[in-house]
Amino acid sequence: MKQDQAHQLRHLSNSLVSHERTSRVVTIASGKGGVGKSNFTLSFALSLMELGKKVVVIDLDIGMANLDILMGATPKQHLWDMIRERKSIWSVLEKGPGGLEYIAGGSGFQQLLQLKDEERQYFFQELEKLHGYADIILIDTGAGLTVESQQCHLSADEIILLTTPEPTAIADAYSVIKILHSQNPALSFQLVVNRVSRQKEGIEVASKVKLAVQSFLKKEIKIFGAIPDDAAVTQAVLKQVPFYIAFPRSPASVTLRNLAERFVTGSTVSEDNKGIKGFIRNFSRLLRS
């Protein structure tokens, strides 16, 4: 009870200061598993926080939720508990390493699409409370395109798409763009190539994907950057600590810091940004279709 009250007071305090804030809702996607999506999400969030941004991470990696494992954390509550037990979203908002605020998905959240109308309404009602609370909401989705993750991407303001230089990962990343573009040509993609041996390799891979998308889909995507293959990331996973905290001077961490600065200064929240309310509106519409 005290913890829930503390969350509510913290929310009220933030709302008084930032009631005009519109959160950027960004989904993190990949065409296949094993490309480092969840590791990227955590350390990207921490690097944004270092720049003074308020960030909330939501783990919607359906059935494979593992952000808490990568942080060595044991969340007391999950999103599914919020819905099933009618808990406040503030009671499931956890704090991880570095003060990172996150909401654990839980392995049972694949039932999202099978929610009863009143359960779905409660879920959206609680999710909307994040409006005005964070500058950026990062949603870690499942690899590939499940029905659930697809609807998350179609509902968000922006999509950061991770791939690696492996041909299969590149092909799968292109497929993600192709499928989502066919449903909403206005979607914004930013491409990150992870685990590159050198920056030149990352730019070459990203340029090939960008050219293919331009040629075959007649769509423009942005090249966000390339992250080096860094042994520190594997060591951090074994330690169950985000690599941005465990090895802040490692090549991968330095790159994430640069990407965060580019994300914050290189683009601003446009009038087209719909925030968490727009995400809920889009998601609700897709669930009914």
Side-chain angles (χ1 to χ4, degrees):
M1 177 67 74
K2 289 183 178 180
Q3 183 185 28
D4 196 43
Q5 290 175 341
H7 278 305
Q8 291 176 4
L9 288 172
R10 184 172 57 184
H11 170 58
L12 177 59
S13 175
N14 275 276
S15 296
L16 291 173
V17 175
S18 56
H19 61 280
E20 295 298 328
R21 175 189 282 159
T22 298
S23 305
R24 293 173 73 174
V25 179
V26 183
T27 54
I28 314 298
S30 67
K32 65 189 291 290
V35 301
K37 177 174 56 60
S38 294
N39 265 315
F40 170 84
T41 302
L42 286 177
S43 288
F44 186 53
L46 290 163
S47 62
L48 289 168
M49 289 169 58
E50 197 174 70
L51 295 174
K53 296 299 178 181
K54 187 164 186 61
V55 183
V56 171
V57 175
I58 302 178
D59 192 353
L60 281 185
D61 190 347
I62 309 300
M64 296 291 288
N66 61 1
L67 288 181
D68 49 325
I69 297 173
L70 291 173
M71 291 187 287
T74 305
K76 300 178 183 65
Q77 303 287 338
H78 299 82
L79 267 179
W80 187 245
D81 298 319
M82 181 189 80
I83 297 169
R84 183 182 55 198
E85 300 175 20
R86 292 294 193 273
K87 292 180 177 293
S88 164
I89 196 167
W90 309 117
S91 68
V92 300
L93 185 65
E94 304 272 354
K95 270 203 173 183
L100 174 62
E101 292 185 284
Y102 73 100
I103 299 175
S107 59
F109 205 67
Q110 63 267 26
Q111 291 132 313
L112 174 61
L113 299 184
Q114 283 76 48
L115 290 178
K116 298 176 182 177
D117 288 342
E118 62 270 21
E119 292 174 326
R120 190 177 298 165
Q121 184 177 356
Y122 184 80
F123 166 64
F124 289 137
Q125 168 191 309
E126 291 301 309
L127 198 61
E128 188 172 329
K129 291 179 181 178
L130 292 178
H131 174 72
Y133 182 72
D135 296 300
I136 300 163
I137 297 173
L138 298 179
I139 301 179
D140 186 27
T141 65
L145 284 181
T146 63
V147 175
E148 299 91 348
S149 66
Q150 187 168 321
Q151 293 182 340
C152 282
H153 298 314
L154 291 170
S155 302
D157 293 312
E158 306 166 68
I159 302 167
I160 294 178
L161 177 63
L162 258 70
T163 186
T164 64
E166 298 174 7
T168 53
I170 295 170
D172 288 339
Y174 175 81
S175 294
V176 167
I177 298 172
K178 180 180 179 180
I179 293 170
L180 293 176
H181 173 71
S182 69
Q183 297 180 68
N184 182 0
L187 287 176
S188 172
F189 290 90
Q190 298 207 55
L191 183 65
V192 175
V193 184
N194 195 21
R195 297 176 185 160
V196 301
S197 58
R198 59 192 189 284
Q199 281 295 308
K200 184 179 178 181
E201 178 188 37
I203 298 303
E204 288 174 351
V205 169
S207 297
K208 286 179 181 178
V209 176
K210 180 180 175 71
L211 181 60
V213 172
Q214 284 176 331
S215 300
F216 299 110
L217 304 181
K218 311 302 179 187
K219 179 176 179 61
E220 290 292 330
I221 63 171
K222 300 174 184 176
I223 298 176
F224 193 17
I227 303 172
D229 192 9
D230 190 346
V233 176
T234 302
Q235 294 177 46
V237 171
L238 295 174
K239 291 174 178 285
Q240 290 185 279
V241 179
F243 69 81
Y244 196 79
I245 290 177
F247 303 100
R249 294 183 178 84
S250 70
S253 293
V254 171
T255 302
L256 258 293
R257 193 171 294 115
N258 292 334
L259 291 181
E261 289 175 354
R262 188 181 311 166
F263 186 80
V264 169
T265 61
S267 58
T268 57
V269 179
S270 70
E271 293 180 1
D272 293 332
N273 187 293
K274 300 174 179 63
I276 193 64
K277 289 186 176 181
F279 177 84
I280 292 169
R281 184 167 57 250
N282 292 338
F283 206 158
S284 178
R285 175 177 52 80
L286 290 167
L287 286 176
R288 291 195 302 267
S289 63

